[in-house]
Amino acid sequence: ESFFSDIRKGSQLEEYLKYLTEKEIISGYPDGTFRPDQMINRAEALKMIFLSRGIAPSDGHKQKFPDVPSDAWFFPYVGEASFLQLIRGYPDGTYRPHQAVNKVEFLKIALLAQTFYRHSIDFEDVLKQYSDIGKYDLWYLPYVSFAHRLKFLDGRSMLNPDQAMTRQEAVSMIYLIAQYQENLKKDQKKKIEDFVEKMNVSSLCETCIGSRNVALTSWYDEEVVRVEGNKLFIGTQDVTEGFKNDFYNEQYLISEVR
């Protein structure tokens, strides 16, 4: 039997759903269905994106949207998203949580929630790919360009940016982003290990640089830790020499990562 009664066994969607369900990012309905063609609203989109990133929303943020009551299940998600500047709402001051989220709205929030997102200014490829976005001044082009480059979007000739997202489409996008994030983390960890092996000047331990053990630091698995050439970066800070010589204390490095 399929993971959900309305999902074809062996399909790509079933694979995506199994992965995301096991990680408790998505769930089905009590009747055992997933309802892939059902539209996803703006509140549900936030929950799915936050769960995929492991962001725990707080209900302590001051709420500015009059259509988001404090007793609503989505109250903390909207508050956290506003606090993190992932959303701004509409000109009339509302958020419209029950309104269907469209493709580019979902994409923007999903990407802004990622530490690996970088604002793109090169739109040539997406303008060639999608025949229905012929302008350079569209607000969503940086997000579409970045997603297109990392293959988070399908290769169709029409983007349909204003089209409401279905649960199936949202799952596909979240799965691809989550997989990229997971692979990126593994890749960064391998780079750190290679760096440690190359730069190790101490016999204190296998993962030591100078007198410091990289593997024992609380930021060892963080995505912002990267290696470029023979240099170790924490965020934008080159900490190679400081780390080798035990110059930077743990608290400083943690603050750079966080």
Side-chain angles (χ1 to χ4, degrees):
E1 294 184 3
S2 175
F3 213 57
F4 294 104
S5 61
D6 55 347
I7 302 300
R8 181 169 57 84
K9 182 176 176 56
S11 65
Q12 187 178 64
L13 179 57
E14 183 190 43
E15 176 189 344
Y16 292 176
L17 287 170
K18 185 175 182 181
Y19 174 87
L20 296 176
T21 301
E22 289 175 348
K23 291 185 175 295
E24 300 183 343
I25 294 171
I26 62 98
S27 60
Y29 290 90
D31 63 0
T33 62
F34 178 69
R35 305 177 193 176
D37 298 321
Q38 181 171 296
M39 301 301 147
I40 181 171
N41 65 39
R42 286 164 58 82
E44 294 168 332
L46 289 181
K47 181 179 180 180
M48 183 182 292
I49 291 167
F50 275 32
L51 290 175
S52 71
R53 274 288 287 119
I55 299 174
S58 168
D59 57 7
H61 297 304
K62 186 177 181 180
Q63 188 57 259
K64 66 177 184 178
F65 301 110
D67 57 344
V68 180
S70 59
D71 59 348
W73 67 264
F74 49 80
F75 178 86
Y77 294 98
V78 176
E80 189 73 26
S82 178
F83 175 74
L84 295 175
Q85 299 184 341
L86 303 181
I87 60 170
R88 288 185 296 180
Y90 288 89
D92 64 0
T94 62
Y95 178 66
R96 306 179 192 176
H98 301 295
Q99 179 176 294
V101 66
N102 67 39
K103 183 180 291 186
V104 289
E105 290 172 336
F106 187 93
L107 180 62
K108 175 190 174 182
I109 300 169
L111 289 180
L112 287 179
Q114 312 302 320
T115 57
F116 61 76
Y117 173 69
R118 298 293 180 270
H119 209 62
S120 175
I121 58 173
D122 182 3
F123 309 142
E124 289 296 330
D125 287 345
V126 294
L127 290 173
K128 291 178 181 178
Q129 177 70 40
Y130 302 112
S131 60
D132 55 344
I133 51 170
K135 297 181 180 179
Y136 279 86
D137 59 351
L138 296 170
W139 66 264
Y140 53 77
L141 277 182
Y143 309 106
V144 173
S145 178
F146 185 84
H148 175 69
R149 181 165 58 84
L150 295 186
K151 296 181 170 52
F152 295 156
L153 297 170
D154 57 46
R156 297 175 184 175
S157 60
M158 299 281 285
L159 178 66
N160 297 312
D162 299 320
Q163 181 176 294
M165 287 279 284
T166 64
R167 284 167 59 81
Q168 174 175 338
E169 291 170 330
V171 159
S172 296
M173 191 176 292
I174 286 295
Y175 172 85
L176 293 174
I177 291 174
Q179 280 286 291
Y180 180 84
Q181 185 181 54
E182 187 173 301
N183 291 334
L184 181 66
K185 191 171 183 178
K186 291 177 181 177
D187 182 56
Q188 293 291 5
K189 184 175 181 180
K190 179 63 167 58
K191 286 181 179 179
I192 292 294
E193 291 170 346
D194 290 345
F195 177 85
V196 169
E197 183 177 352
K198 179 186 289 186
M199 301 297 289
N200 185 18
V201 295
S202 171
S203 60
L204 294 175
C205 65
E206 292 183 358
T207 55
C208 286
I209 294 180
S211 62
R212 298 178 62 79
N213 187 352
V214 181
L216 296 180
T217 61
S218 60
W219 43 263
Y220 182 57
D221 292 331
E222 291 282 349
E223 294 172 10
V224 294
V225 178
R226 71 185 193 282
V227 175
E228 292 184 2
N230 294 331
K231 294 185 177 182
L232 174 64
F233 287 88
I234 307 298
T236 59
Q237 180 74 40
D238 180 355
V239 297
T240 310
E241 294 304 317
F243 191 84
K244 284 170 58 181
N245 299 322
D246 204 18
F247 176 74
Y248 295 128
N249 62 42
E250 184 75 2
Q251 197 59 43
Y252 174 84
L253 291 170
I254 290 173
S255 69
E256 284 297 309
V257 169
R258 302 301 180 198

